Amino acid sequence: DAGVTQSPTHLIKTRGQQVTLRCSPISGHKSVSWYQQVLGQGPQFIFQYYEKEERGRGNFPDRFSARQFPNYSSELNVNALLLGDSALYLCASSLGNTAVGDYNEQFFGPGTRLTVL
Amino acid sequence: AQTVTQSQPEMSVQEAETVTLSCTYDTSESDYYLFWYKQPPSRQMILVIRQEAYKQQNATENRFSVNFQKAAKSFSLKISDSQLGDAAMYFCAYRRRFNAGNMLTFGGGTRLMVKP
């Protein structure tokens, strides 16, 4: 079975531009989460989507937005790029949401490396 | 807010030896999960081991085991019989058990080097 896939692998943009990153979850998984990992640091949570609705949002500005499609794939959009947005963007999928306390393992994709010049 | 701290930026171990990576966390919750993830140069984050806070028994997965000290808010990872393939970044992570969605809070990571 295919794991979590992300596209593109690498991306170079200039300041002020907009970027869209894509994630396809493992077949059957309905939840997608996005994380930003700046070089030398641990990942930071950006968003979680479950059944096409936002279920969680980290401490990121409104320049960051996301959506989930009927097939459970997801896009992360970042507007007005800043140099500080340069990072590895990780997508993780899981079967469901954990609001009721059930454990759902998250499976991570290989990430998209974004460089902002 | 929850925080996770890994105080060892780098660790080194001889092949076949044992190494322990440290992690401390801060939370006001009583029910949560703790994780160790491995991130090799390929960048893909892989779950190594999971601990439920409500379980007193320390989790074990083959060569990997944890020392979970809830009162001290400490969660260390022991790797026995280290192998060259264990070389990677290791991240400690926390997640509330209820009403947290899937949000993970990660530490800053420890780079593990394995010497042949």
Side-chain angles (χ1 to χ4, degrees):
Chain A
D1 284 343
V4 178
T5 59
Q6 293 186 244
S7 62
T9 305
H10 297 90
L11 203 51
I12 299 175
K13 292 287 189 178
T14 56
R15 280 176 296 175
Q17 285 189 313
Q18 176 264 342
V19 69
T20 298
L21 311 181
R22 295 175 176 83
C23 172
S24 292
I26 292 171
S27 177
H29 285 194
K30 298 182 178 180
S31 176
V32 170
S33 298
W34 288 95
Y35 292 82
Q36 180 196 63
Q37 186 177 15
V38 172
L39 189 63
Q41 298 180 17
Q44 278 198 294
F45 174 78
I46 310 175
F47 285 111
Q48 183 205 350
Y49 275 77
Y50 174 66
E51 290 284 14
K52 301 179 287 294
E53 291 186 6
E54 182 182 305
R55 298 303 182 104
R57 185 184 183 112
N59 188 25
F60 280 81
D62 291 343
R63 299 185 295 108
F64 288 77
S65 63
R67 55 180 175 168
Q68 187 176 35
F69 298 99
N71 66 354
Y72 303 108
S73 67
S74 178
E75 286 182 351
L76 175 70
N77 296 284
V78 187
N79 294 323
L81 285 167
L82 304 174
L83 294 179
D85 295 331
S86 295
L88 179 68
Y89 288 84
L90 297 169
C91 173
S93 78
S94 66
L95 275 171
N97 198 19
T98 55
V100 295
D102 297 332
Y103 176 70
N104 280 275
E105 182 174 347
Q106 292 188 68
F107 296 84
F108 284 82
T112 292
R113 171 74 65 193
L114 172 65
T115 301
V116 182
L117 302 176
Chain B
Q2 296 82 23
T3 59
V4 178
T5 303
Q6 295 178 246
S7 59
Q8 306 154 316
E10 280 191 5
M11 292 285 285
S12 180
V13 63
Q14 205 72 33
E15 195 176 6
E17 297 294 309
T18 296
V19 65
T20 298
L21 309 184
S22 301
C23 172
T24 58
Y25 59 96
D26 188 26
T27 182
S28 58
E29 302 284 333
S30 60
D31 210 352
Y32 48 86
Y33 296 104
L34 294 166
F35 307 87
W36 280 97
Y37 281 89
K38 171 185 178 182
Q39 188 178 40
S42 66
R43 311 182 318 201
Q44 192 136 9
M45 199 78 74
I46 302 163
L47 178 64
V48 174
I49 198 165
R50 176 183 92 245
Q51 175 77 46
E52 290 87 348
Y54 56 87
K55 291 185 179 179
Q56 292 192 346
Q57 187 172 6
N58 289 324
T60 299
E61 288 286 345
N62 301 314
R63 299 183 295 108
F64 299 87
S65 62
V66 299
N67 184 2
F68 172 49
Q69 300 291 326
K70 191 172 184 179
K73 295 180 182 175
S74 168
F75 182 60
S76 62
L77 174 70
K78 185 172 81 171
I79 306 175
S80 304
D81 185 25
S82 296
Q83 301 175 358
L84 294 177
D86 294 334
M89 286 293 296
Y90 285 81
F91 292 95
C92 178
Y94 164 100
R95 205 202 79 201
R96 288 166 56 189
R97 186 175 175 207
F98 294 99
N99 301 317
N102 289 343
M103 177 179 142
L104 291 166
T105 300
F106 286 89
T110 296
R111 180 176 301 281
L112 177 65
M113 295 174 286
V114 181
K115 298 178 181 178

